[in-house]
Amino acid sequence: MPKRKPSTGRSIALALAGGGPEGAVYEIGALFALSEALEGLDFNEMDLYAGVSAGAFVSACLANGLTPDQMCRAIVRPEPGMHPFTRRTFHTPALGEFARRAMMLPKLAVSALSDYLAHPLEESALDAAGKLSQAVPVALFDNDPIRAYLESIFERPGRTDDFRKLRRSLRIIATDLNSGTAVRFGEEGYDDVPISQAVQASTALPGIYPPVSIGGRYFVDGVLLKTIHASVLLDEGVDLLFCINPIVPIDTSLAPDPDGHGQERLITRGLPTMLSQTVRTLIHSRLSTGIASYAEKYPDAEIVIFQALPHDERMFFTNVFSIASRRAICEHAYRMTRRDLLDRSEHLLPILERHGVTLRTDLLQDDDRDLWRAAGVPDAEIKPSPSTKESVTSRLKSALDDLESAIERE
């Protein structure tokens, strides 16, 4: 059993999982719902933070004093102290990687052909051609803009890109590519790495972003080993741990199916969707096993986890790089978390009270509460985010109206 450090009083921590840009937006919406419903708890004053992948991005911002409402506002409008959340930050093509690999092709082709001609009976043409795979780029996108984005935010007054200067403890988890082991940036021995670079390493999902070189070693996404890495905080003697996980596989049998093709929706969307569902399934299964084991490993700690729902089509299929979609995901996470808090209020109330936290059920019962007004976005900037079904219906009605007008003009 892991050795658990003794608690030094009421200690509360936050662990955030990955999930790509949409996962980060989901976590921001969920955090705002929690921050306004949990009285006596400040998500910028947690005793410990741990983040992996997208969760590393959000937890680093929280530890640096960026509030959930600030991050919500930054999703839909320019926010002082923040920079635009754009596609370019996350989806800049890795042109340098493409060029380097392309330059390897002539030499690899000559080597493959020479080997085949020298040993035609021992090596097939397919085996020889397989050597050309070394010229395949290791990533589609450049992740240096992610580091630069965070660096520019953390260099502002009152913030820091140095783990050692934070008021609260922050752990960013990445995977050492060569050893396959987890590294906890922010711990002694790994606290001299800039926070922005640690986040860059933790979000380096193989195939999407290139490994990040730090101190002569290469690091990739920490989610390869664990989904949340909650044990990083539990080993520190945490008494109450909040976890947020947006990575849940979709169950199309539970999702709305207006066209009657629910079971084929994943297959018809091609390989990226199939891979997404596969990865989500593996990650979620591992998370469930890990959470179940914590009761025995850490009997004195209490864990409260919030997750997306298995029939959550909005989280699975939404393109987060349109402003409307970002708003929709953030609103969706806000509503789902509020509903989850209310549904589990009977179970959560005694847990929270033991740690000096009050659950505002009266606020949760207010069905008219609006995320953007609560977050301080002026009414003039608030526009309703129609659901996918409403949007399609609206476009169809508009098209029919145009057709009717055209017929009348004839």
Side-chain angles (χ1 to χ4, degrees):
M1 181 179 296
K3 184 177 180 181
R4 186 172 187 267
K5 296 180 181 179
S7 173
T8 56
R10 181 175 72 95
S11 61
I12 304 177
L14 175 68
L16 300 178
E22 64 272 22
V25 172
Y26 185 96
E27 288 174 343
I28 291 168
L31 281 166
F32 185 70
L34 293 172
S35 68
E36 65 174 10
L38 302 180
E39 195 172 81
L41 186 64
D42 186 340
F43 280 91
N44 292 108
E45 296 292 337
M46 307 295 275
D47 295 292
L48 288 156
Y49 299 88
V52 57
S53 197
F57 186 97
V58 177
S59 61
C61 289
L62 288 171
N64 250 300
L66 281 86
T67 63
D69 57 300
Q70 277 182 294
M71 289 190 277
C72 280
R73 292 193 295 270
I75 287 173
V76 296
R77 53 172 287 191
E79 177 70 9
M82 295 286 284
H83 292 276
F85 185 88
T86 65
R87 179 189 297 271
R88 184 177 301 174
T89 302
F90 300 93
H91 283 180
T92 297
L95 298 179
E97 170 67 9
F98 297 156
R100 283 191 297 273
R101 298 290 169 169
M103 291 174 65
M104 295 169 61
L105 268 174
K107 184 176 180 180
L108 289 171
V110 170
S111 175
L113 181 60
S114 298
D115 288 349
Y116 175 66
L117 294 176
H119 310 283
L121 300 179
E122 300 176 12
E123 188 169 337
S124 69
L126 187 60
D127 291 332
K131 295 177 181 179
L132 299 179
S133 64
Q134 296 177 47
V136 176
V138 298
L140 296 174
F141 304 110
D142 183 4
N143 51 7
D144 197 59
I146 297 176
R147 180 203 55 74
Y149 176 90
L150 288 173
E151 185 180 54
S152 64
I153 292 175
F154 296 159
E155 68 183 5
R156 300 181 70 89
R159 301 174 189 166
T160 180
D161 201 22
D162 190 331
F163 283 101
R164 297 163 295 189
K165 294 180 181 180
L166 287 173
R167 293 179 57 249
R168 301 291 176 176
S169 295
L170 171 65
R171 303 288 183 262
I172 300 299
I173 297 90
T175 303
D176 186 319
L177 182 62
N178 291 327
S179 68
T181 57
V183 172
R184 305 172 179 184
F185 291 108
E187 287 190 347
E188 187 175 352
Y190 292 98
D191 55 358
D192 58 334
V193 175
I195 297 171
S196 56
Q197 190 176 33
V199 174
Q200 179 189 12
S202 183
T203 56
L205 184 63
I208 304 299
Y209 297 117
V212 177
S213 176
I214 301 175
R217 298 161 66 187
Y218 287 93
F219 298 91
V220 293
D221 201 319
V223 82
L224 298 183
L225 295 174
K226 291 183 181 179
T227 306
I228 292 184
H229 289 268
S231 59
V232 169
L233 302 179
L234 294 170
D235 286 342
E236 293 285 332
V238 168
D239 297 301
L240 175 62
L241 175 62
F242 290 94
C243 303
I244 301 178
N245 172 43
I247 312 176
V248 176
I250 189 169
D251 185 343
T252 56
S253 67
L254 299 176
D257 186 16
D259 56 10
H261 298 293
Q263 300 305 313
E264 290 79 33
R265 272 180 288 179
L266 296 179
I267 295 176
T268 56
R269 286 175 178 263
L271 181 61
T273 298
M274 292 288 290
L275 290 176
S276 175
Q277 177 74 337
T278 301
V279 170
R280 286 168 177 261
T281 301
L282 291 171
I283 288 175
H284 190 254
S285 173
R286 188 175 58 192
L287 172 65
S288 300
T289 302
I291 293 295
S293 70
Y294 290 155
E296 179 181 348
K297 293 180 180 178
Y298 309 98
D300 298 327
E302 297 187 280
I303 303 170
V304 180
I305 185 167
F306 297 91
Q307 301 190 82
L309 298 174
H311 56 273
D312 202 333
E313 285 202 332
R314 188 177 294 281
M315 270 302 295
F316 194 87
F317 292 117
T318 300
N319 171 18
V320 76
F321 288 106
S322 74
I323 292 179
S325 294
R326 293 203 300 265
R327 291 176 56 239
I329 285 183
C330 197
E331 289 174 357
H332 180 66
Y334 175 75
R335 290 194 302 269
M336 292 300 100
T337 304
R338 283 170 51 84
R339 182 185 303 172
D340 191 14
L341 282 167
L342 193 57
D343 289 345
R344 292 197 285 162
S345 60
E346 187 175 339
H347 169 71
L348 292 175
L349 278 168
I351 295 176
L352 297 171
E353 287 175 358
R354 284 194 287 274
H355 300 276
V357 180
T358 301
L359 179 61
R360 292 285 307 277
T361 53
D362 59 323
L363 186 148
L364 295 173
Q365 290 168 344
D366 180 4
D367 294 332
D368 295 325
R369 191 164 183 83
D370 179 83
L371 164 64
W372 305 114
R373 290 190 179 92
V377 179
D379 286 352
E381 297 183 26
I382 300 174
K383 297 179 182 179
S385 295
S387 67
T388 301
K389 183 177 179 181
E390 290 171 339
S391 179
V392 172
T393 302
S394 177
R395 291 198 299 270
L396 178 60
K397 183 178 184 302
S398 178
L400 291 174
D401 289 343
D402 290 344
L403 178 60
E404 184 177 2
S405 298
I407 292 174
E408 288 176 352
R409 286 196 298 270
E410 293 294 326

